[in-house]
Amino acid sequence: MCIARELHDIVSHSLSLIAVKAGVAGHIAQRRPEEAVSALRVIEQTSRAAMTEMRRTLGVLRTDAADAPLRPAPELDALDRLADQARQAGVEVELSVRVPEAGLPAGIALAVHRIVQESLTNAVRHAAPPRCRVTVEADPREVRIDVTDDGTRGAGTEGPRGHGLVGMRERAVMHGGTFRAGPRPGGGFAVSARLPQDGVRRTA
């Protein structure tokens, strides 16, 4: 289940960005070739990064998994890269991260990274075109993750579907936390997760 969740997050995020930039490149190739070239560069960079991350993740499935290269969990400064990738896909992202200087435990840091990654992926895929605010705050008691966008979904669409929301909820529950997601009253979509750091399991 954990490997499937990791692969979903990696593939979904990368392919969403690739699809957006490929559409841009195809639309402007003849009129603005310099912008098309820029979009193709983003596609190449995103594809290479996704392949590298997939190889590392799949390494644990090999029979010689003990010899597979280990990698640290993404640090919180990797959130800047996620925000930049979403901006390249046309999402106006405002990112705010306020955590202790010592950082977060590796498992919680990975959960934060994946929840933000999937939330931004959903904004890229389902909102057109959105402004998105990402807030990550931590104190000795808990880590709070809030992602909101003001994008307009298609007719009859309340928000993102599929395994993304399930995966985010699983990550939160795995750490004894809570997770909520749904349409905002004034439009757009909101994701909210709370991950305890004090060992106290939360209730939804």
Side-chain angles (χ1 to χ4, degrees):
M1 177 66 72
C2 290
I3 295 297
R5 190 165 53 226
E6 286 293 306
L7 288 176
H8 170 273
D9 290 349
I10 294 167
V11 173
S12 177
H13 178 72
S14 300
L15 289 184
S16 294
L17 295 177
I18 289 170
V20 169
K21 297 310 269 187
V24 170
H27 183 68
I28 65 175
Q30 293 184 343
R31 292 177 296 141
R32 299 196 297 276
E34 68 284 352
E35 293 185 30
V37 170
S38 177
L40 291 173
R41 288 198 187 99
V42 173
I43 291 173
E44 179 183 9
Q45 293 167 358
T46 303
S47 301
R48 291 182 183 277
M51 288 299 296
T52 298
E53 196 166 357
M54 285 181 63
R55 288 191 189 101
R56 289 171 176 169
T57 301
L58 289 173
V60 300
L61 295 180
R62 300 184 187 130
T63 55
D64 57 343
D67 297 326
L70 298 178
R71 63 188 177 97
E75 299 291 339
L76 290 181
D77 55 10
L79 297 180
D80 288 322
R81 180 173 58 83
L82 293 179
D84 286 340
Q85 289 176 334
R87 292 183 187 111
Q88 291 174 342
V91 180
E92 184 180 329
V93 181
E94 180 183 345
L95 175 65
S96 175
V97 179
R98 295 190 291 274
V99 300
E101 290 186 7
L104 300 174
I108 292 180
L110 177 60
V112 171
H113 183 274
R114 294 305 188 202
I115 289 172
V116 171
Q117 181 181 51
E118 182 63 28
S119 298
L120 289 174
T121 298
N122 285 337
V124 169
R125 294 173 60 187
H126 298 285
R131 288 192 301 272
C132 188
R133 178 176 176 81
V134 179
T135 303
V136 177
E137 298 179 326
D139 58 34
R141 182 174 180 269
E142 67 178 8
V143 181
R144 297 175 292 279
I145 308 159
D146 292 290
V147 184
T148 59
D149 72 63
D150 60 0
T152 303
R153 268 66 181 174
T157 303
E158 293 185 350
R161 305 294 184 184
H163 298 291
L165 294 180
V166 174
M168 288 191 282
R169 186 180 301 279
E170 287 177 348
R171 289 184 184 279
V173 171
M174 181 174 64
H175 289 280
T178 62
F179 176 83
R180 294 181 182 179
R184 301 171 64 197
F189 202 79
V191 168
S192 179
R194 300 292 183 266
L195 310 179
Q197 295 203 85
D198 56 7
V200 179
R201 181 173 291 272
R202 312 292 184 223
T203 57

